[in-house]
Amino acid sequence: MDPAHPQASLYPTAINTAGQVAGTRTSPDSSASRGFVWSPTSGFRYFGPADRWLSVRGLNDAGVAAGHSARRDNVDFDWKAFRWHADTGLVYAKPSRDRRLVSADINEAGQIAGGLTWLPGGRTHAVRMEAGGGHTHLVNGAVQSQGRAINDAGEVAGSMATGIGRFQAYLWREATGAVVIDPRTSHGDNSFPEGVNAARQVVGSWQASANGDWREGLFYWDEASGWHDLLDLIDPADPLRAHISERSTGVVRLNAAGQVVANAYDAVADRTLMLLFTPLTPP
């Protein structure tokens, strides 16, 4: 809680190795939102004009926050991507007026994974916004695509729709382009990466629907072992593992060491847990 704004809601979305936390603060009546960066030494620092909505999505070790913003009186929410740093303030990416640009994650080089939408009513396509300006299109041939996470090599994990009514997780690299990493084939199978590290370990959420049965959960993928349900990679000897009887989605991130932070539902205590663990080596 911020003592200076005790009634406001705080939504942290990123943390860097210096312990700085970035996120979004909304007013008590949800009529406005601003970005924040908190540090153990200086506390909360807020940014963003009062006439705009801000959503902060990433923070790198240089203290650069990334997100997107829209005017509060714009009913279409024509988002503009931004970078923020204490020394430079808020700097917007500037696509043409008929495009919407959103941010999802930022790496140490200042590259941002996100999506570019042609307006009005256009489709979204995954892009990597370059630190020096401009953007790189990532996925060819998809109906829609999103960039959702980026590592320090500039490799992007995201989702693509290929026209069969589902979003499939992919990993994009300069050498290979976008390669689908979700091996499931049913019409109702969707997957949404949330994190990728330098070892090309990818984590995210999955959905499945068959014969009216809707399920959701978390996934882990790496190049050597492929796709796994993330909760199956928790040590069975962990006393909390027996409590997690329902699959659940939520925040899931991983760091350079492969440690994962995630939400999972504790069916015994009827609560949502924050899990911090190193996944078992997949079989």
Side-chain angles (χ1 to χ4, degrees):
M1 184 182 75
D2 179 3
H5 302 275
Q7 301 303 315
S9 296
L10 299 176
Y11 299 94
T13 52
I15 185 170
N16 64 16
T17 56
Q20 294 177 304
V21 177
T24 303
R25 186 196 81 188
T26 61
S27 60
D29 61 358
S30 300
S31 64
S33 65
R34 303 187 71 196
F36 72 81
V37 172
W38 175 91
S39 74
T41 55
S42 60
F44 286 92
R45 181 160 185 168
Y46 294 102
F47 58 90
D51 65 341
R52 301 188 69 87
W53 291 94
L54 260 74
S55 177
V56 177
R57 306 299 300 166
L59 179 71
N60 66 16
D61 285 349
V64 180
H68 43 270
S69 170
R71 288 182 58 88
R72 291 172 56 192
D73 59 1
N74 188 328
V75 295
D76 293 325
F77 280 88
D78 292 344
W79 296 106
K80 291 183 178 181
F82 67 78
R83 292 178 176 84
W84 177 91
H85 187 269
D87 293 337
T88 62
L90 199 64
V91 178
Y92 290 101
K94 296 181 178 179
S96 61
R97 292 182 62 186
D98 60 347
R99 298 180 184 182
R100 176 188 295 132
L101 196 57
V102 299
S103 304
D105 194 15
I106 186 170
N107 67 10
E108 294 309 311
Q111 296 171 310
I112 297 174
L116 177 67
T117 305
W118 277 263
L119 301 173
R123 299 184 183 278
T124 300
H125 297 276
V127 295
R128 185 182 68 190
M129 290 165 253
E130 307 302 342
H135 51 268
T136 301
H137 288 269
L138 304 181
V139 179
N140 295 317
V143 176
Q144 293 195 78
S145 57
Q146 308 162 340
R148 300 178 63 89
I150 188 168
N151 65 17
D152 287 342
E155 298 166 338
V156 175
S159 297
M160 67 167 75
T162 55
I164 58 174
R166 57 186 290 242
F167 278 91
Q168 295 175 282
Y170 69 82
L171 178 63
W172 179 92
R173 299 162 56 192
E174 293 275 4
T176 63
V179 176
V180 172
I181 61 175
D182 182 350
R184 302 172 304 153
T185 58
S186 296
H187 180 81
D189 293 339
N190 298 298
S191 47
F192 304 96
E194 300 291 346
V196 57
N197 63 13
R200 299 190 184 120
Q201 296 171 302
V202 182
V203 294
S205 61
W206 59 259
Q207 301 169 345
S209 177
N211 301 317
D213 178 28
W214 176 266
R215 296 180 299 121
E216 54 188 6
L218 305 173
F219 76 83
Y220 168 94
W221 179 92
D222 65 35
E223 290 183 289
S225 66
W227 175 279
H228 302 273
D229 189 299
L230 179 59
L231 298 188
D232 289 341
L233 301 181
I234 298 176
D235 188 344
D238 190 310
L240 279 178
R241 184 63 187 88
H243 288 227
I244 306 171
S245 61
E246 293 187 19
R247 308 303 192 189
S248 59
T249 59
V251 174
V252 55
R253 300 286 190 273
L254 82 167
N255 63 15
Q259 293 176 303
V260 173
V261 61
N263 292 135
Y265 178 65
D266 180 348
V268 176
D270 188 24
R271 59 179 178 170
T272 298
L273 300 173
M274 184 186 78
L275 305 178
L276 176 62
F277 65 99
T278 300
L280 297 174
T281 302

PDB file of all heavy atoms in Angstrom, residues 114-149:
ATOM      1  N   GLY A 114       5.245  -6.543 -28.383  1.00  0.00           N
ATOM      2  CA  GLY A 114       3.887  -6.023 -28.310  1.00  0.00           C
ATOM      3  C   GLY A 114       3.083  -6.332 -29.539  1.00  0.00           C
ATOM      4  O   GLY A 114       3.332  -7.325 -30.238  1.00  0.00           O
ATOM      5  N   GLY A 115       2.104  -5.475 -29.827  1.00  0.00           N
ATOM      6  CA  GLY A 115       1.216  -5.693 -30.958  1.00  0.00           C
ATOM      7  C   GLY A 115       0.847  -4.382 -31.623  1.00  0.00           C
ATOM      8  O   GLY A 115       0.711  -3.342 -30.967  1.00  0.00           O
ATOM      9  N   LEU A 116       0.680  -4.436 -32.935  1.00  0.00           N
ATOM     10  CA  LEU A 116       0.299  -3.279 -33.742  1.00  0.00           C
ATOM     11  C   LEU A 116      -1.029  -3.580 -34.412  1.00  0.00           C
ATOM     12  O   LEU A 116      -1.174  -4.610 -35.073  1.00  0.00           O
ATOM     13  CB  LEU A 116       1.370  -3.001 -34.792  1.00  0.00           C
ATOM     14  CG  LEU A 116       1.110  -1.866 -35.785  1.00  0.00           C
ATOM     15  CD1 LEU A 116       1.099  -0.521 -35.069  1.00  0.00           C
ATOM     16  CD2 LEU A 116       2.173  -1.878 -36.884  1.00  0.00           C
ATOM     17  N   THR A 117      -2.017  -2.678 -34.220  1.00  0.00           N
ATOM     18  CA  THR A 117      -3.355  -2.875 -34.775  1.00  0.00           C
ATOM     19  C   THR A 117      -3.682  -1.749 -35.739  1.00  0.00           C
ATOM     20  O   THR A 117      -3.492  -0.573 -35.411  1.00  0.00           O
ATOM     21  CB  THR A 117      -4.413  -2.915 -33.660  1.00  0.00           C
ATOM     22  OG1 THR A 117      -4.070  -3.923 -32.710  1.00  0.00           O
ATOM     23  CG2 THR A 117      -5.798  -3.220 -34.233  1.00  0.00           C
ATOM     24  N   TRP A 118      -4.167  -2.112 -36.913  1.00  0.00           N
ATOM     25  CA  TRP A 118      -4.634  -1.108 -37.868  1.00  0.00           C
ATOM     26  C   TRP A 118      -6.076  -0.751 -37.536  1.00  0.00           C
ATOM     27  O   TRP A 118      -6.914  -1.635 -37.295  1.00  0.00           O
ATOM     28  CB  TRP A 118      -4.552  -1.639 -39.297  1.00  0.00           C
ATOM     29  CG  TRP A 118      -3.199  -1.500 -39.894  1.00  0.00           C
ATOM     30  CD1 TRP A 118      -2.751  -0.515 -40.716  1.00  0.00           C
ATOM     31  CD2 TRP A 118      -2.084  -2.378 -39.701  1.00  0.00           C
ATOM     32  NE1 TRP A 118      -1.437  -0.721 -41.056  1.00  0.00           N
ATOM     33  CE2 TRP A 118      -0.996  -1.853 -40.441  1.00  0.00           C
ATOM     34  CE3 TRP A 118      -1.885  -3.550 -38.961  1.00  0.00           C
ATOM     35  CZ2 TRP A 118       0.249  -2.468 -40.480  1.00  0.00           C
ATOM     36  CZ3 TRP A 118      -0.658  -4.156 -38.991  1.00  0.00           C
ATOM     37  CH2 TRP A 118       0.397  -3.610 -39.736  1.00  0.00           C
ATOM     38  N   LEU A 119      -6.401   0.527 -37.497  1.00  0.00           N
ATOM     39  CA  LEU A 119      -7.717   1.012 -37.123  1.00  0.00           C
ATOM     40  C   LEU A 119      -8.444   1.550 -38.350  1.00  0.00           C
ATOM     41  O   LEU A 119      -7.824   1.967 -39.334  1.00  0.00           O
ATOM     42  CB  LEU A 119      -7.588   2.122 -36.070  1.00  0.00           C
ATOM     43  CG  LEU A 119      -6.888   1.720 -34.769  1.00  0.00           C
ATOM     44  CD1 LEU A 119      -6.677   2.950 -33.893  1.00  0.00           C
ATOM     45  CD2 LEU A 119      -7.674   0.669 -34.030  1.00  0.00           C
ATOM     46  N   PRO A 120      -9.805   1.586 -38.315  1.00  0.00           N
ATOM     47  CA  PRO A 120     -10.635   1.051 -37.226  1.00  0.00           C
ATOM     48  C   PRO A 120     -10.926  -0.440 -37.430  1.00  0.00           C
ATOM     49  O   PRO A 120     -11.037  -0.906 -38.554  1.00  0.00           O
ATOM     50  CB  PRO A 120     -11.922   1.860 -37.379  1.00  0.00           C
ATOM     51  CG  PRO A 120     -12.001   2.128 -38.846  1.00  0.00           C
ATOM     52  CD  PRO A 120     -10.583   2.303 -39.333  1.00  0.00           C
ATOM     53  N   GLY A 121     -11.042  -1.146 -36.340  1.00  0.00           N
ATOM     54  CA  GLY A 121     -11.472  -2.543 -36.383  1.00  0.00           C
ATOM     55  C   GLY A 121     -10.508  -3.492 -37.050  1.00  0.00           C
ATOM     56  O   GLY A 121     -10.908  -4.555 -37.532  1.00  0.00           O
ATOM     57  N   GLY A 122      -9.229  -3.134 -37.089  1.00  0.00           N
ATOM     58  CA  GLY A 122      -8.266  -3.987 -37.763  1.00  0.00           C
ATOM     59  C   GLY A 122      -7.783  -5.129 -36.901  1.00  0.00           C
ATOM     60  O   GLY A 122      -8.184  -5.292 -35.748  1.00  0.00           O
ATOM     61  N   ARG A 123      -6.903  -5.929 -37.471  1.00  0.00           N
ATOM     62  CA  ARG A 123      -6.344  -7.070 -36.755  1.00  0.00           C
ATOM     63  C   ARG A 123      -4.989  -6.698 -36.165  1.00  0.00           C
ATOM     64  O   ARG A 123      -4.289  -5.834 -36.675  1.00  0.00           O
ATOM     65  CB  ARG A 123      -6.219  -8.269 -37.686  1.00  0.00           C
ATOM     66  CG  ARG A 123      -7.558  -8.737 -38.250  1.00  0.00           C
ATOM     67  CD  ARG A 123      -7.399  -9.987 -39.094  1.00  0.00           C
ATOM     68  NE  ARG A 123      -8.653 -10.399 -39.701  1.00  0.00           N
ATOM     69  CZ  ARG A 123      -9.593 -11.108 -39.082  1.00  0.00           C
ATOM     70  NH1 ARG A 123      -9.403 -11.481 -37.829  1.00  0.00           N
ATOM     71  NH2 ARG A 123     -10.699 -11.446 -39.704  1.00  0.00           N
ATOM     72  N   THR A 124      -4.631  -7.397 -35.085  1.00  0.00           N
ATOM     73  CA  THR A 124      -3.389  -7.121 -34.384  1.00  0.00           C
ATOM     74  C   THR A 124      -2.279  -8.036 -34.887  1.00  0.00           C
ATOM     75  O   THR A 124      -2.504  -9.231 -35.107  1.00  0.00           O
ATOM     76  CB  THR A 124      -3.575  -7.313 -32.871  1.00  0.00           C
ATOM     77  OG1 THR A 124      -4.587  -6.424 -32.407  1.00  0.00           O
ATOM     78  CG2 THR A 124      -2.283  -7.040 -32.114  1.00  0.00           C
ATOM     79  N   HIS A 125      -1.077  -7.483 -35.063  1.00  0.00           N
ATOM     80  CA  HIS A 125       0.071  -8.256 -35.520  1.00  0.00           C
ATOM     81  C   HIS A 125       1.243  -8.031 -34.576  1.00  0.00           C
ATOM     82  O   HIS A 125       1.509  -6.907 -34.135  1.00  0.00           O
ATOM     83  CB  HIS A 125       0.443  -7.857 -36.945  1.00  0.00           C
ATOM     84  CG  HIS A 125      -0.638  -8.141 -37.937  1.00  0.00           C
ATOM     85  ND1 HIS A 125      -0.811  -9.383 -38.528  1.00  0.00           N
ATOM     86  CD2 HIS A 125      -1.633  -7.363 -38.413  1.00  0.00           C
ATOM     87  CE1 HIS A 125      -1.851  -9.351 -39.336  1.00  0.00           C
ATOM     88  NE2 HIS A 125      -2.372  -8.135 -39.282  1.00  0.00           N
ATOM     89  N   ALA A 126       1.953  -9.114 -34.255  1.00  0.00           N
ATOM     90  CA  ALA A 126       3.064  -9.055 -33.309  1.00  0.00           C
ATOM     91  C   ALA A 126       4.210  -8.230 -33.864  1.00  0.00           C
ATOM     92  O   ALA A 126       4.576  -8.352 -35.038  1.00  0.00           O
ATOM     93  CB  ALA A 126       3.549 -10.467 -32.992  1.00  0.00           C
ATOM     94  N   VAL A 127       4.791  -7.395 -33.003  1.00  0.00           N
ATOM     95  CA  VAL A 127       5.948  -6.589 -33.380  1.00  0.00           C
ATOM     96  C   VAL A 127       6.955  -6.573 -32.243  1.00  0.00           C
ATOM     97  O   VAL A 127       6.617  -6.822 -31.089  1.00  0.00           O
ATOM     98  CB  VAL A 127       5.563  -5.129 -33.726  1.00  0.00           C
ATOM     99  CG1 VAL A 127       4.694  -5.067 -34.964  1.00  0.00           C
ATOM    100  CG2 VAL A 127       4.886  -4.441 -32.541  1.00  0.00           C
ATOM    101  N   ARG A 128       8.197  -6.286 -32.621  1.00  0.00           N
ATOM    102  CA  ARG A 128       9.226  -5.956 -31.647  1.00  0.00           C
ATOM    103  C   ARG A 128       9.606  -4.503 -31.885  1.00  0.00           C
ATOM    104  O   ARG A 128      10.085  -4.149 -32.956  1.00  0.00           O
ATOM    105  CB  ARG A 128      10.457  -6.853 -31.817  1.00  0.00           C
ATOM    106  CG  ARG A 128      11.525  -6.632 -30.734  1.00  0.00           C
ATOM    107  CD  ARG A 128      12.742  -7.494 -30.972  1.00  0.00           C
ATOM    108  NE  ARG A 128      13.473  -7.085 -32.170  1.00  0.00           N
ATOM    109  CZ  ARG A 128      14.476  -7.792 -32.714  1.00  0.00           C
ATOM    110  NH1 ARG A 128      14.834  -8.940 -32.180  1.00  0.00           N
ATOM    111  NH2 ARG A 128      15.088  -7.340 -33.797  1.00  0.00           N
ATOM    112  N   MET A 129       9.325  -3.667 -30.893  1.00  0.00           N
ATOM    113  CA  MET A 129       9.677  -2.258 -30.994  1.00  0.00           C
ATOM    114  C   MET A 129      11.152  -2.081 -30.645  1.00  0.00           C
ATOM    115  O   MET A 129      11.598  -2.531 -29.590  1.00  0.00           O
ATOM    116  CB  MET A 129       8.792  -1.431 -30.060  1.00  0.00           C
ATOM    117  CG  MET A 129       7.344  -1.360 -30.505  1.00  0.00           C
ATOM    118  SD  MET A 129       6.231  -0.752 -29.204  1.00  0.00           S
ATOM    119  CE  MET A 129       5.395  -2.284 -28.756  1.00  0.00           C
ATOM    120  N   GLU A 130      11.885  -1.449 -31.536  1.00  0.00           N
ATOM    121  CA  GLU A 130      13.330  -1.329 -31.363  1.00  0.00           C
ATOM    122  C   GLU A 130      13.665  -0.128 -30.488  1.00  0.00           C
ATOM    123  O   GLU A 130      12.962   0.882 -30.501  1.00  0.00           O
ATOM    124  CB  GLU A 130      14.009  -1.212 -32.717  1.00  0.00           C
ATOM    125  CG  GLU A 130      13.638  -2.313 -33.710  1.00  0.00           C
ATOM    126  CD  GLU A 130      13.955  -3.718 -33.203  1.00  0.00           C
ATOM    127  OE1 GLU A 130      14.758  -3.865 -32.253  1.00  0.00           O
ATOM    128  OE2 GLU A 130      13.392  -4.682 -33.754  1.00  0.00           O
ATOM    129  N   ALA A 131      14.766  -0.241 -29.746  1.00  0.00           N
ATOM    130  CA  ALA A 131      15.141   0.814 -28.802  1.00  0.00           C
ATOM    131  C   ALA A 131      15.415   2.138 -29.505  1.00  0.00           C
ATOM    132  O   ALA A 131      15.147   3.207 -28.956  1.00  0.00           O
ATOM    133  CB  ALA A 131      16.363   0.377 -27.994  1.00  0.00           C
ATOM    134  N   GLY A 132      15.914   2.074 -30.729  1.00  0.00           N
ATOM    135  CA  GLY A 132      16.224   3.289 -31.452  1.00  0.00           C
ATOM    136  C   GLY A 132      15.091   3.834 -32.294  1.00  0.00           C
ATOM    137  O   GLY A 132      15.270   4.825 -33.017  1.00  0.00           O
ATOM    138  N   GLY A 133      13.923   3.211 -32.201  1.00  0.00           N
ATOM    139  CA  GLY A 133      12.776   3.640 -32.989  1.00  0.00           C
ATOM    140  C   GLY A 133      12.424   2.622 -34.056  1.00  0.00           C
ATOM    141  O   GLY A 133      13.248   1.799 -34.464  1.00  0.00           O
ATOM    142  N   GLY A 134      11.200   2.654 -34.520  1.00  0.00           N
ATOM    143  CA  GLY A 134      10.730   1.699 -35.511  1.00  0.00           C
ATOM    144  C   GLY A 134      10.364   0.370 -34.884  1.00  0.00           C
ATOM    145  O   GLY A 134      10.506   0.167 -33.663  1.00  0.00           O
ATOM    146  N   HIS A 135       9.886  -0.563 -35.694  1.00  0.00           N
ATOM    147  CA  HIS A 135       9.487  -1.866 -35.177  1.00  0.00           C
ATOM    148  C   HIS A 135       9.699  -2.947 -36.232  1.00  0.00           C
ATOM    149  O   HIS A 135       9.719  -2.678 -37.438  1.00  0.00           O
ATOM    150  CB  HIS A 135       8.039  -1.860 -34.694  1.00  0.00           C
ATOM    151  CG  HIS A 135       7.067  -1.313 -35.681  1.00  0.00           C
ATOM    152  ND1 HIS A 135       6.694   0.015 -35.718  1.00  0.00           N
ATOM    153  CD2 HIS A 135       6.390  -1.901 -36.694  1.00  0.00           C
ATOM    154  CE1 HIS A 135       5.836   0.223 -36.692  1.00  0.00           C
ATOM    155  NE2 HIS A 135       5.630  -0.930 -37.302  1.00  0.00           N
ATOM    156  N   THR A 136       9.864  -4.180 -35.759  1.00  0.00           N
ATOM    157  CA  THR A 136      10.067  -5.346 -36.610  1.00  0.00           C
ATOM    158  C   THR A 136       8.825  -6.218 -36.554  1.00  0.00           C
ATOM    159  O   THR A 136       8.385  -6.597 -35.466  1.00  0.00           O
ATOM    160  CB  THR A 136      11.285  -6.161 -36.130  1.00  0.00           C
ATOM    161  OG1 THR A 136      12.445  -5.327 -36.167  1.00  0.00           O
ATOM    162  CG2 THR A 136      11.497  -7.391 -36.986  1.00  0.00           C
ATOM    163  N   HIS A 137       8.241  -6.548 -37.715  1.00  0.00           N
ATOM    164  CA  HIS A 137       7.109  -7.470 -37.752  1.00  0.00           C
ATOM    165  C   HIS A 137       7.619  -8.902 -37.568  1.00  0.00           C
ATOM    166  O   HIS A 137       8.625  -9.298 -38.164  1.00  0.00           O
ATOM    167  CB  HIS A 137       6.357  -7.339 -39.079  1.00  0.00           C
ATOM    168  CG  HIS A 137       5.569  -6.070 -39.180  1.00  0.00           C
ATOM    169  ND1 HIS A 137       4.247  -5.974 -38.789  1.00  0.00           N
ATOM    170  CD2 HIS A 137       5.920  -4.835 -39.615  1.00  0.00           C
ATOM    171  CE1 HIS A 137       3.822  -4.739 -38.981  1.00  0.00           C
ATOM    172  NE2 HIS A 137       4.815  -4.028 -39.484  1.00  0.00           N
ATOM    173  N   LEU A 138       6.903  -9.694 -36.767  1.00  0.00           N
ATOM    174  CA  LEU A 138       7.425 -10.986 -36.329  1.00  0.00           C
ATOM    175  C   LEU A 138       6.763 -12.195 -36.976  1.00  0.00           C
ATOM    176  O   LEU A 138       7.408 -13.234 -37.129  1.00  0.00           O
ATOM    177  CB  LEU A 138       7.293 -11.108 -34.805  1.00  0.00           C
ATOM    178  CG  LEU A 138       7.948 -10.010 -33.972  1.00  0.00           C
ATOM    179  CD1 LEU A 138       7.737 -10.289 -32.493  1.00  0.00           C
ATOM    180  CD2 LEU A 138       9.429  -9.896 -34.284  1.00  0.00           C
ATOM    181  N   VAL A 139       5.493 -12.124 -37.297  1.00  0.00           N
ATOM    182  CA  VAL A 139       4.759 -13.314 -37.722  1.00  0.00           C
ATOM    183  C   VAL A 139       4.154 -13.078 -39.099  1.00  0.00           C
ATOM    184  O   VAL A 139       3.443 -12.094 -39.312  1.00  0.00           O
ATOM    185  CB  VAL A 139       3.638 -13.665 -36.716  1.00  0.00           C
ATOM    186  CG1 VAL A 139       2.862 -14.899 -37.182  1.00  0.00           C
ATOM    187  CG2 VAL A 139       4.233 -13.921 -35.333  1.00  0.00           C
ATOM    188  N   ASN A 140       4.428 -13.985 -40.028  1.00  0.00           N
ATOM    189  CA  ASN A 140       3.852 -13.915 -41.367  1.00  0.00           C
ATOM    190  C   ASN A 140       2.783 -14.994 -41.525  1.00  0.00           C
ATOM    191  O   ASN A 140       2.925 -16.113 -41.032  1.00  0.00           O
ATOM    192  CB  ASN A 140       4.934 -14.120 -42.437  1.00  0.00           C
ATOM    193  CG  ASN A 140       5.962 -13.004 -42.425  1.00  0.00           C
ATOM    194  OD1 ASN A 140       5.614 -11.836 -42.305  1.00  0.00           O
ATOM    195  ND2 ASN A 140       7.234 -13.366 -42.552  1.00  0.00           N
ATOM    196  N   GLY A 141       1.708 -14.653 -42.223  1.00  0.00           N
ATOM    197  CA  GLY A 141       0.701 -15.642 -42.565  1.00  0.00           C
ATOM    198  C   GLY A 141      -0.360 -15.906 -41.517  1.00  0.00           C
ATOM    199  O   GLY A 141      -1.268 -16.709 -41.755  1.00  0.00           O
ATOM    200  N   ALA A 142      -0.289 -15.263 -40.363  1.00  0.00           N
ATOM    201  CA  ALA A 142      -1.290 -15.477 -39.317  1.00  0.00           C
ATOM    202  C   ALA A 142      -2.419 -14.460 -39.463  1.00  0.00           C
ATOM    203  O   ALA A 142      -2.204 -13.325 -39.914  1.00  0.00           O
ATOM    204  CB  ALA A 142      -0.668 -15.363 -37.939  1.00  0.00           C
ATOM    205  N   VAL A 143      -3.630 -14.855 -39.071  1.00  0.00           N
ATOM    206  CA  VAL A 143      -4.757 -13.933 -39.084  1.00  0.00           C
ATOM    207  C   VAL A 143      -4.525 -12.817 -38.067  1.00  0.00           C
ATOM    208  O   VAL A 143      -4.757 -11.640 -38.349  1.00  0.00           O
ATOM    209  CB  VAL A 143      -6.073 -14.683 -38.787  1.00  0.00           C
ATOM    210  CG1 VAL A 143      -7.242 -13.704 -38.706  1.00  0.00           C
ATOM    211  CG2 VAL A 143      -6.331 -15.738 -39.845  1.00  0.00           C
ATOM    212  N   GLN A 144      -4.095 -13.194 -36.870  1.00  0.00           N
ATOM    213  CA  GLN A 144      -3.722 -12.240 -35.837  1.00  0.00           C
ATOM    214  C   GLN A 144      -2.532 -12.797 -35.068  1.00  0.00           C
ATOM    215  O   GLN A 144      -2.298 -14.015 -35.052  1.00  0.00           O
ATOM    216  CB  GLN A 144      -4.873 -11.974 -34.857  1.00  0.00           C
ATOM    217  CG  GLN A 144      -6.062 -11.254 -35.434  1.00  0.00           C
ATOM    218  CD  GLN A 144      -6.966 -10.720 -34.337  1.00  0.00           C
ATOM    219  OE1 GLN A 144      -6.690  -9.693 -33.719  1.00  0.00           O
ATOM    220  NE2 GLN A 144      -8.060 -11.417 -34.098  1.00  0.00           N
ATOM    221  N   SER A 145      -1.796 -11.928 -34.410  1.00  0.00           N
ATOM    222  CA  SER A 145      -0.681 -12.375 -33.572  1.00  0.00           C
ATOM    223  C   SER A 145      -0.387 -11.317 -32.525  1.00  0.00           C
ATOM    224  O   SER A 145      -0.746 -10.151 -32.682  1.00  0.00           O
ATOM    225  CB  SER A 145       0.570 -12.658 -34.415  1.00  0.00           C
ATOM    226  OG  SER A 145       0.959 -11.522 -35.155  1.00  0.00           O
ATOM    227  N   GLN A 146       0.280 -11.755 -31.455  1.00  0.00           N
ATOM    228  CA  GLN A 146       0.645 -10.874 -30.352  1.00  0.00           C
ATOM    229  C   GLN A 146       2.066 -11.217 -29.908  1.00  0.00           C
ATOM    230  O   GLN A 146       2.427 -12.391 -29.839  1.00  0.00           O
ATOM    231  CB  GLN A 146      -0.287 -11.070 -29.146  1.00  0.00           C
ATOM    232  CG  GLN A 146      -1.770 -10.976 -29.448  1.00  0.00           C
ATOM    233  CD  GLN A 146      -2.610 -11.592 -28.341  1.00  0.00           C
ATOM    234  OE1 GLN A 146      -2.126 -12.397 -27.550  1.00  0.00           O
ATOM    235  NE2 GLN A 146      -3.873 -11.201 -28.290  1.00  0.00           N
ATOM    236  N   GLY A 147       2.864 -10.193 -29.608  1.00  0.00           N
ATOM    237  CA  GLY A 147       4.119 -10.405 -28.907  1.00  0.00           C
ATOM    238  C   GLY A 147       3.872 -10.222 -27.421  1.00  0.00           C
ATOM    239  O   GLY A 147       3.350  -9.194 -27.000  1.00  0.00           O
ATOM    240  N   ARG A 148       4.230 -11.206 -26.594  1.00  0.00           N
ATOM    241  CA  ARG A 148       3.839 -11.176 -25.193  1.00  0.00           C
ATOM    242  C   ARG A 148       5.021 -11.189 -24.224  1.00  0.00           C
ATOM    243  O   ARG A 148       4.870 -10.810 -23.066  1.00  0.00           O
ATOM    244  CB  ARG A 148       2.906 -12.361 -24.887  1.00  0.00           C
ATOM    245  CG  ARG A 148       1.626 -12.335 -25.713  1.00  0.00           C
ATOM    246  CD  ARG A 148       0.755 -13.557 -25.406  1.00  0.00           C
ATOM    247  NE  ARG A 148       0.320 -13.575 -24.032  1.00  0.00           N
ATOM    248  CZ  ARG A 148      -0.795 -12.999 -23.579  1.00  0.00           C
ATOM    249  NH1 ARG A 148      -1.567 -12.321 -24.408  1.00  0.00           N
ATOM    250  NH2 ARG A 148      -1.128 -13.089 -22.303  1.00  0.00           N
ATOM    251  N   ALA A 149       6.183 -11.647 -24.640  1.00  0.00           N
ATOM    252  CA  ALA A 149       7.351 -11.702 -23.749  1.00  0.00           C
ATOM    253  C   ALA A 149       8.601 -11.647 -24.606  1.00  0.00           C
ATOM    254  O   ALA A 149       8.607 -12.102 -25.757  1.00  0.00           O
ATOM    255  CB  ALA A 149       7.325 -12.975 -22.908  1.00  0.00           C
TER     256      ALA A 149
END
